[in-house]
mmCIF file of all heavy atoms in Angstrom:
data_model
loop_
_atom_site.group_PDB
_atom_site.id
_atom_site.type_symbol
_atom_site.label_atom_id
_atom_site.label_comp_id
_atom_site.label_asym_id
_atom_site.label_seq_id
_atom_site.Cartn_x
_atom_site.Cartn_y
_atom_site.Cartn_z
ATOM 1 N N ALA A 1 30.740 -6.781 88.798
ATOM 2 C CA ALA A 1 30.355 -6.876 90.062
ATOM 3 C C ALA A 1 30.625 -5.626 90.875
ATOM 4 O O ALA A 1 29.939 -5.172 91.878
ATOM 5 C CB ALA A 1 30.894 -8.053 90.846
ATOM 6 N N SER A 2 31.753 -4.953 90.538
ATOM 7 C CA SER A 2 32.238 -3.819 91.235
ATOM 8 C C SER A 2 31.747 -2.396 90.648
ATOM 9 O O SER A 2 32.045 -1.384 91.171
ATOM 10 C CB SER A 2 33.736 -3.775 91.322
ATOM 11 O OG SER A 2 34.257 -3.550 90.083
ATOM 12 N N ALA A 3 31.244 -2.481 89.475
ATOM 13 C CA ALA A 3 30.848 -1.343 88.712
ATOM 14 C C ALA A 3 29.366 -0.946 88.715
ATOM 15 O O ALA A 3 28.503 -1.651 89.195
ATOM 16 C CB ALA A 3 31.214 -1.560 87.209
ATOM 17 N N ASN A 4 29.148 0.339 88.412
ATOM 18 C CA ASN A 4 27.771 0.896 88.267
ATOM 19 C C ASN A 4 27.251 0.830 86.834
ATOM 20 O O ASN A 4 26.055 0.627 86.606
ATOM 21 C CB ASN A 4 27.781 2.360 88.677
ATOM 22 C CG ASN A 4 28.160 2.587 90.082
ATOM 23 O OD1 ASN A 4 29.465 2.678 90.348
ATOM 24 N ND2 ASN A 4 27.232 2.462 91.101
ATOM 25 N N VAL A 5 28.196 0.986 85.813
ATOM 26 C CA VAL A 5 27.666 1.160 84.535
ATOM 27 C C VAL A 5 28.536 0.308 83.514
ATOM 28 O O VAL A 5 29.821 0.265 83.708
ATOM 29 C CB VAL A 5 27.743 2.687 84.015
ATOM 30 C CG1 VAL A 5 27.279 2.878 82.767
ATOM 31 C CG2 VAL A 5 27.088 3.557 85.010
ATOM 32 N N PHE A 6 27.933 -0.276 82.536
ATOM 33 C CA PHE A 6 28.660 -0.910 81.377
ATOM 34 C C PHE A 6 28.170 -0.246 80.138
ATOM 35 O O PHE A 6 26.941 -0.057 79.916
ATOM 36 C CB PHE A 6 28.319 -2.440 81.322
ATOM 37 C CG PHE A 6 28.684 -3.114 80.110
ATOM 38 C CD1 PHE A 6 29.933 -3.636 80.023
ATOM 39 C CD2 PHE A 6 27.736 -3.230 78.966
ATOM 40 C CE1 PHE A 6 30.376 -4.250 78.771
ATOM 41 C CE2 PHE A 6 28.181 -3.885 77.924
ATOM 42 C CZ PHE A 6 29.498 -4.429 77.762
ATOM 43 N N VAL A 7 29.082 0.176 79.397
ATOM 44 C CA VAL A 7 28.771 0.908 78.129
ATOM 45 C C VAL A 7 29.448 0.252 76.906
ATOM 46 O O VAL A 7 30.693 -0.135 77.017
ATOM 47 C CB VAL A 7 29.371 2.410 78.133
ATOM 48 C CG1 VAL A 7 28.803 3.192 77.040
ATOM 49 C CG2 VAL A 7 28.985 3.118 79.433
ATOM 50 N N SER A 8 28.758 0.139 75.763
ATOM 51 C CA SER A 8 29.278 -0.441 74.583
ATOM 52 C C SER A 8 28.632 0.044 73.432
ATOM 53 O O SER A 8 27.405 0.338 73.417
ATOM 54 C CB SER A 8 29.181 -2.038 74.681
ATOM 55 O OG SER A 8 29.909 -2.555 73.579
ATOM 56 N N ASN A 9 29.360 -0.007 72.342
ATOM 57 C CA ASN A 9 28.757 0.367 71.014
ATOM 58 C C ASN A 9 29.209 -0.785 69.949
ATOM 59 O O ASN A 9 29.163 -0.597 68.766
ATOM 60 C CB ASN A 9 29.210 1.783 70.478
ATOM 61 C CG ASN A 9 30.718 1.891 70.203
ATOM 62 O OD1 ASN A 9 31.497 1.157 70.866
ATOM 63 N ND2 ASN A 9 31.101 2.913 69.529
ATOM 64 N N TYR A 10 29.527 -1.916 70.497
ATOM 65 C CA TYR A 10 29.738 -3.104 69.573
ATOM 66 C C TYR A 10 28.316 -3.494 69.288
ATOM 67 O O TYR A 10 27.286 -3.267 69.990
ATOM 68 C CB TYR A 10 30.416 -4.209 70.335
ATOM 69 C CG TYR A 10 31.935 -4.072 70.429
ATOM 70 C CD1 TYR A 10 32.552 -3.449 71.617
ATOM 71 C CD2 TYR A 10 32.747 -4.285 69.311
ATOM 72 C CE1 TYR A 10 33.856 -3.151 71.522
ATOM 73 C CE2 TYR A 10 34.058 -4.120 69.440
ATOM 74 C CZ TYR A 10 34.702 -3.618 70.476
ATOM 75 O OH TYR A 10 35.965 -3.292 70.593
ATOM 76 N N ARG A 11 28.150 -4.275 68.218
ATOM 77 C CA ARG A 11 26.904 -4.844 67.724
ATOM 78 C C ARG A 11 26.296 -5.770 68.844
ATOM 79 O O ARG A 11 26.980 -6.531 69.592
ATOM 80 C CB ARG A 11 26.952 -5.495 66.458
ATOM 81 C CG ARG A 11 26.932 -4.509 65.315
ATOM 82 C CD ARG A 11 26.952 -5.161 63.935
ATOM 83 N NE ARG A 11 28.318 -5.252 63.327
ATOM 84 C CZ ARG A 11 28.554 -5.612 62.117
ATOM 85 N NH1 ARG A 11 27.555 -5.988 61.294
ATOM 86 N NH2 ARG A 11 29.782 -5.628 61.626
ATOM 87 N N ILE A 12 24.927 -5.772 68.926
ATOM 88 C CA ILE A 12 24.235 -6.536 70.019
ATOM 89 C C ILE A 12 24.498 -8.021 69.893
ATOM 90 O O ILE A 12 24.907 -8.702 70.970
ATOM 91 C CB ILE A 12 22.780 -6.357 70.019
ATOM 92 C CG1 ILE A 12 22.508 -4.907 70.181
ATOM 93 C CG2 ILE A 12 22.088 -7.168 71.086
ATOM 94 C CD1 ILE A 12 22.902 -4.245 71.365
ATOM 95 N N ARG A 13 24.681 -8.603 68.705
ATOM 96 C CA ARG A 13 25.014 -10.019 68.632
ATOM 97 C C ARG A 13 26.381 -10.303 69.084
ATOM 98 O O ARG A 13 26.653 -11.439 69.632
ATOM 99 C CB ARG A 13 24.745 -10.496 67.223
ATOM 100 C CG ARG A 13 25.640 -9.923 66.175
ATOM 101 C CD ARG A 13 25.266 -10.310 64.695
ATOM 102 N NE ARG A 13 26.037 -9.772 63.779
ATOM 103 C CZ ARG A 13 25.792 -9.789 62.400
ATOM 104 N NH1 ARG A 13 24.642 -10.325 62.039
ATOM 105 N NH2 ARG A 13 26.690 -9.230 61.474
ATOM 106 N N ALA A 14 27.295 -9.351 68.919
ATOM 107 C CA ALA A 14 28.713 -9.608 69.447
ATOM 108 C C ALA A 14 28.639 -9.685 70.962
ATOM 109 O O ALA A 14 29.315 -10.524 71.641
ATOM 110 C CB ALA A 14 29.600 -8.515 68.923
ATOM 111 N N LEU A 15 27.878 -8.695 71.651
ATOM 112 C CA LEU A 15 27.777 -8.801 73.077
ATOM 113 C C LEU A 15 27.142 -9.990 73.618
ATOM 114 O O LEU A 15 27.638 -10.548 74.526
ATOM 115 C CB LEU A 15 27.069 -7.469 73.524
ATOM 116 C CG LEU A 15 27.683 -6.134 73.254
ATOM 117 C CD1 LEU A 15 26.719 -5.005 73.654
ATOM 118 C CD2 LEU A 15 29.011 -5.964 73.810
ATOM 119 N N ASP A 16 26.120 -10.462 72.923
ATOM 120 C CA ASP A 16 25.427 -11.674 73.227
ATOM 121 C C ASP A 16 26.345 -12.881 73.235
ATOM 122 O O ASP A 16 26.474 -13.740 74.142
ATOM 123 C CB ASP A 16 24.166 -11.963 72.427
ATOM 124 C CG ASP A 16 23.084 -11.013 72.756
ATOM 125 O OD1 ASP A 16 22.987 -10.342 73.865
ATOM 126 O OD2 ASP A 16 22.217 -10.813 71.780
ATOM 127 N N LYS A 17 27.191 -12.897 72.207
ATOM 128 C CA LYS A 17 28.088 -13.992 71.863
ATOM 129 C C LYS A 17 29.222 -14.007 73.101
ATOM 130 O O LYS A 17 29.690 -15.145 73.428
ATOM 131 C CB LYS A 17 28.774 -13.859 70.536
ATOM 132 C CG LYS A 17 29.608 -15.030 70.163
ATOM 133 C CD LYS A 17 30.164 -14.870 68.673
ATOM 134 C CE LYS A 17 30.870 -16.078 68.279
ATOM 135 N NZ LYS A 17 31.425 -15.884 66.779
ATOM 136 N N LEU A 18 29.521 -12.866 73.581
ATOM 137 C CA LEU A 18 30.488 -12.725 74.713
ATOM 138 C C LEU A 18 29.912 -13.010 76.047
ATOM 139 O O LEU A 18 30.607 -13.035 77.154
ATOM 140 C CB LEU A 18 31.285 -11.496 74.594
ATOM 141 C CG LEU A 18 32.197 -11.265 73.459
ATOM 142 C CD1 LEU A 18 32.642 -9.823 73.294
ATOM 143 C CD2 LEU A 18 33.467 -12.203 73.629
ATOM 144 N N GLY A 19 28.656 -13.213 76.078
ATOM 145 C CA GLY A 19 27.931 -13.381 77.399
ATOM 146 C C GLY A 19 27.704 -12.066 78.099
ATOM 147 O O GLY A 19 27.571 -12.046 79.294
ATOM 148 N N ILE A 20 27.706 -10.970 77.487
ATOM 149 C CA ILE A 20 27.527 -9.633 78.134
ATOM 150 C C ILE A 20 26.472 -8.807 77.486
ATOM 151 O O ILE A 20 26.488 -7.599 77.498
ATOM 152 C CB ILE A 20 28.932 -8.746 78.235
ATOM 153 C CG1 ILE A 20 29.555 -8.706 76.777
ATOM 154 C CG2 ILE A 20 29.923 -9.404 79.250
ATOM 155 C CD1 ILE A 20 30.800 -7.845 76.816
ATOM 156 N N GLY A 21 25.524 -9.573 76.906
ATOM 157 C CA GLY A 21 24.318 -8.865 76.501
ATOM 158 C C GLY A 21 23.370 -8.561 77.671
ATOM 159 O O GLY A 21 23.614 -8.937 78.782
ATOM 160 N N TRP A 22 22.311 -7.735 77.359
ATOM 161 C CA TRP A 22 21.444 -7.389 78.400
ATOM 162 C C TRP A 22 20.852 -8.344 79.304
ATOM 163 O O TRP A 22 20.959 -8.439 80.500
ATOM 164 C CB TRP A 22 20.380 -6.494 77.724
ATOM 165 C CG TRP A 22 19.187 -6.237 78.798
ATOM 166 C CD1 TRP A 22 17.827 -6.555 78.690
ATOM 167 C CD2 TRP A 22 19.136 -5.346 80.085
ATOM 168 N NE1 TRP A 22 17.130 -6.329 79.694
ATOM 169 C CE2 TRP A 22 17.896 -5.483 80.574
ATOM 170 C CE3 TRP A 22 20.175 -4.747 80.619
ATOM 171 C CZ2 TRP A 22 17.560 -4.858 81.658
ATOM 172 C CZ3 TRP A 22 19.937 -4.132 81.801
ATOM 173 C CH2 TRP A 22 18.698 -4.198 82.387
ATOM 174 N N GLU A 23 20.269 -9.408 78.634
ATOM 175 C CA GLU A 23 19.540 -10.430 79.434
ATOM 176 C C GLU A 23 20.441 -11.205 80.358
ATOM 177 O O GLU A 23 20.255 -11.294 81.580
ATOM 178 C CB GLU A 23 18.856 -11.500 78.539
ATOM 179 C CG GLU A 23 17.646 -11.027 77.811
ATOM 180 C CD GLU A 23 17.960 -10.105 76.607
ATOM 181 O OE1 GLU A 23 19.104 -10.028 76.229
ATOM 182 O OE2 GLU A 23 16.999 -9.491 76.090
ATOM 183 N N GLU A 24 21.650 -11.620 79.828
ATOM 184 C CA GLU A 24 22.566 -12.368 80.822
ATOM 185 C C GLU A 24 23.266 -11.520 81.843
ATOM 186 O O GLU A 24 23.323 -11.904 82.968
ATOM 187 C CB GLU A 24 23.661 -13.025 79.816
ATOM 188 C CG GLU A 24 24.536 -13.947 80.664
ATOM 189 C CD GLU A 24 25.455 -14.870 79.734
ATOM 190 O OE1 GLU A 24 25.079 -14.863 78.445
ATOM 191 O OE2 GLU A 24 26.326 -15.417 80.218
ATOM 192 N N MET A 25 23.523 -10.290 81.482
ATOM 193 C CA MET A 25 24.140 -9.378 82.367
ATOM 194 C C MET A 25 23.217 -8.993 83.473
ATOM 195 O O MET A 25 23.411 -8.925 84.672
ATOM 196 C CB MET A 25 24.787 -8.120 81.707
ATOM 197 C CG MET A 25 25.645 -7.334 82.680
ATOM 198 S SD MET A 25 26.431 -5.885 81.996
ATOM 199 C CE MET A 25 27.522 -6.598 80.805
ATOM 200 N N HIS A 26 21.926 -8.678 83.084
ATOM 201 C CA HIS A 26 20.897 -8.240 84.083
ATOM 202 C C HIS A 26 20.589 -9.357 84.988
ATOM 203 O O HIS A 26 20.352 -9.137 86.253
ATOM 204 C CB HIS A 26 19.733 -7.769 83.333
ATOM 205 C CG HIS A 26 18.729 -7.096 84.276
ATOM 206 N ND1 HIS A 26 18.971 -6.004 85.006
ATOM 207 C CD2 HIS A 26 17.441 -7.500 84.556
ATOM 208 C CE1 HIS A 26 17.893 -5.648 85.751
ATOM 209 N NE2 HIS A 26 16.932 -6.519 85.461
ATOM 210 N N ALA A 27 20.570 -10.606 84.504
ATOM 211 C CA ALA A 27 20.313 -11.674 85.422
ATOM 212 C C ALA A 27 21.407 -11.903 86.402
ATOM 213 O O ALA A 27 21.169 -12.316 87.607
ATOM 214 C CB ALA A 27 20.089 -12.982 84.472
ATOM 215 N N LYS A 28 22.639 -11.713 86.025
ATOM 216 C CA LYS A 28 23.796 -11.917 86.871
ATOM 217 C C LYS A 28 24.103 -10.751 87.815
ATOM 218 O O LYS A 28 24.534 -10.872 88.884
ATOM 219 C CB LYS A 28 25.035 -12.304 86.005
ATOM 220 C CG LYS A 28 26.027 -12.997 86.835
ATOM 221 C CD LYS A 28 27.085 -13.740 85.918
ATOM 222 C CE LYS A 28 28.073 -14.575 86.783
ATOM 223 N NZ LYS A 28 29.012 -15.240 85.814
ATOM 224 N N HIS A 29 23.953 -9.557 87.177
ATOM 225 C CA HIS A 29 24.308 -8.320 87.907
ATOM 226 C C HIS A 29 23.073 -7.346 87.752
ATOM 227 O O HIS A 29 23.163 -6.308 86.973
ATOM 228 C CB HIS A 29 25.600 -7.702 87.243
ATOM 229 C CG HIS A 29 26.783 -8.595 87.234
ATOM 230 N ND1 HIS A 29 27.443 -8.933 88.434
ATOM 231 C CD2 HIS A 29 27.408 -9.217 86.236
ATOM 232 C CE1 HIS A 29 28.450 -9.708 88.135
ATOM 233 N NE2 HIS A 29 28.413 -9.906 86.825
ATOM 234 N N PRO A 30 22.177 -7.474 88.523
ATOM 235 C CA PRO A 30 20.868 -6.702 88.341
ATOM 236 C C PRO A 30 21.092 -5.250 88.698
ATOM 237 O O PRO A 30 20.267 -4.387 88.329
ATOM 238 C CB PRO A 30 19.902 -7.360 89.220
ATOM 239 C CG PRO A 30 20.693 -8.204 90.192
ATOM 240 C CD PRO A 30 21.922 -8.552 89.472
ATOM 241 N N HIS A 31 22.189 -4.940 89.310
ATOM 242 C CA HIS A 31 22.431 -3.493 89.737
ATOM 243 C C HIS A 31 23.005 -2.760 88.497
ATOM 244 O O HIS A 31 23.017 -1.470 88.611
ATOM 245 C CB HIS A 31 23.397 -3.419 90.834
ATOM 246 C CG HIS A 31 24.834 -3.825 90.476
ATOM 247 N ND1 HIS A 31 25.240 -5.100 90.264
ATOM 248 C CD2 HIS A 31 25.935 -3.127 90.260
ATOM 249 C CE1 HIS A 31 26.441 -5.261 89.867
ATOM 250 N NE2 HIS A 31 27.023 -3.992 89.856
ATOM 251 N N ILE A 32 23.555 -3.392 87.505
ATOM 252 C CA ILE A 32 24.300 -2.764 86.433
ATOM 253 C C ILE A 32 23.405 -1.975 85.425
ATOM 254 O O ILE A 32 22.359 -2.425 85.071
ATOM 255 C CB ILE A 32 25.057 -3.769 85.655
ATOM 256 C CG1 ILE A 32 26.409 -4.205 86.364
ATOM 257 C CG2 ILE A 32 25.432 -3.313 84.197
ATOM 258 C CD1 ILE A 32 27.431 -3.140 86.170
ATOM 259 N N ILE A 33 23.867 -0.751 85.181
ATOM 260 C CA ILE A 33 23.248 -0.010 84.014
ATOM 261 C C ILE A 33 23.922 -0.468 82.764
ATOM 262 O O ILE A 33 25.140 -0.287 82.659
ATOM 263 C CB ILE A 33 23.398 1.490 84.269
ATOM 264 C CG1 ILE A 33 22.685 1.965 85.606
ATOM 265 C CG2 ILE A 33 23.043 2.314 83.045
ATOM 266 C CD1 ILE A 33 23.018 3.337 86.076
ATOM 267 N N TRP A 34 23.149 -1.050 81.923
ATOM 268 C CA TRP A 34 23.724 -1.581 80.639
ATOM 269 C C TRP A 34 23.353 -0.581 79.473
ATOM 270 O O TRP A 34 22.157 -0.498 79.168
ATOM 271 C CB TRP A 34 23.063 -2.849 80.400
ATOM 272 C CG TRP A 34 23.652 -3.737 79.249
ATOM 273 C CD1 TRP A 34 24.576 -4.566 79.216
ATOM 274 C CD2 TRP A 34 22.888 -3.876 77.971
ATOM 275 N NE1 TRP A 34 24.801 -5.179 77.919
ATOM 276 C CE2 TRP A 34 23.681 -4.719 77.119
ATOM 277 C CE3 TRP A 34 21.843 -3.214 77.318
ATOM 278 C CZ2 TRP A 34 23.395 -5.082 75.771
ATOM 279 C CZ3 TRP A 34 21.503 -3.511 76.018
ATOM 280 C CH2 TRP A 34 22.238 -4.489 75.263
ATOM 281 N N ALA A 35 24.374 0.201 79.103
ATOM 282 C CA ALA A 35 24.075 1.276 78.155
ATOM 283 C C ALA A 35 24.717 0.897 76.707
ATOM 284 O O ALA A 35 25.933 0.569 76.744
ATOM 285 C CB ALA A 35 24.628 2.602 78.673
ATOM 286 N N VAL A 36 24.011 0.905 75.659
ATOM 287 C CA VAL A 36 24.529 0.659 74.473
ATOM 288 C C VAL A 36 24.156 1.758 73.387
ATOM 289 O O VAL A 36 23.023 2.385 73.496
ATOM 290 C CB VAL A 36 24.058 -0.700 73.840
ATOM 291 C CG1 VAL A 36 24.532 -1.870 74.760
ATOM 292 C CG2 VAL A 36 22.597 -0.759 73.777
ATOM 293 N N LEU A 37 25.023 1.890 72.435
ATOM 294 C CA LEU A 37 24.859 2.896 71.363
ATOM 295 C C LEU A 37 25.005 2.001 70.090
ATOM 296 O O LEU A 37 25.962 1.385 69.805
ATOM 297 C CB LEU A 37 25.858 3.920 71.348
ATOM 298 C CG LEU A 37 25.698 5.040 70.341
ATOM 299 C CD1 LEU A 37 26.353 6.350 70.943
ATOM 300 C CD2 LEU A 37 26.347 4.740 68.960
ATOM 301 N N THR A 38 23.867 1.829 69.353
ATOM 302 C CA THR A 38 23.818 1.061 68.134
ATOM 303 C C THR A 38 23.779 1.981 66.925
ATOM 304 O O THR A 38 23.748 3.108 66.980
ATOM 305 C CB THR A 38 22.519 0.162 68.112
ATOM 306 O OG1 THR A 38 21.446 1.053 67.924
ATOM 307 C CG2 THR A 38 22.369 -0.592 69.499
#
């Protein structure tokens, strides 16, 4: 809620499992830049 950017290079399914995948995070924090390296 306080951040501008979230960055991760964990696998997408791991992020989804933790509730910090793109869809869930964008719905809850639409201001966040969600950046991933796969």
Side-chain angles (χ1 to χ4, degrees):
S2 71
N4 300 88
V5 183
F6 169 85
V7 189
S8 186
N9 60 343
Y10 284 96
R11 281 185 261 188
I12 301 301
R13 65 186 179 192
L15 299 179
D16 289 339
K17 190 174 181 180
L18 290 169
I20 48 179
W22 165 246
E23 286 80 9
E24 189 167 343
M25 190 179 296
H26 187 61
K28 196 167 189 179
H29 302 289
H31 71 286
I32 276 279
I33 295 164
W34 185 87
V36 293
L37 189 153
T38 70

